[in-house]
Amino acid sequence: MSFFGLFGGGNDNETVEKYIKEGAVVIDVRTPEEFREGHVKGSQNIVLNNIPTAVEEIKALNKKVIAVCRSGARSGQATSFLSKKGIDVVNGGPWQNVAKFLN
């Protein structure tokens, strides 16, 4: 099992690219300070601790979700939580991993 697999399932670039082509929204679960230092173009910043209160907002987007953070650990936690809430989500891992497909 990969490191990301320990935290809600890391995904290979092929899966991330597929989700992007299908119009997925990227949710960055880092702090606002980290987000300001760099992020995926067009991504939404919802801090990991706020994910539980944002479930309905995320569901209302009616899109697949790619969760990202700095290393993949926090996005893995968000992925695990959101998938249990019925959201089609993948762990994109570090935000730079997803940015290379969009920026």
Side-chain angles (χ1 to χ4, degrees), residues 6-77:
L6 296 172
F7 298 100
N11 288 283
D12 57 37
N13 288 337
E14 200 173 291
T15 303
V16 169
E17 195 169 16
K18 176 179 180 269
Y19 268 57
I20 289 169
K21 287 179 181 175
E22 293 172 353
V25 63
V26 178
I27 297 179
D28 191 318
V29 300
R30 297 176 298 150
T31 66
E33 294 79 20
E34 289 173 298
F35 186 78
R36 280 193 294 272
E37 291 172 4
H39 56 270
V40 175
K41 183 179 179 181
S43 62
Q44 295 185 25
N45 184 213
I46 304 175
V47 178
L48 178 62
N49 291 348
N50 296 335
I51 290 290
T53 59
V55 170
E56 292 308 314
E57 173 188 342
I58 295 167
K59 282 184 176 182
L61 296 171
N62 202 28
K63 293 185 176 195
K64 292 182 177 189
V65 173
I66 302 169
V68 298
C69 66
R70 185 178 61 210
S71 68
R74 286 176 283 178
S75 57
Q77 292 172 5

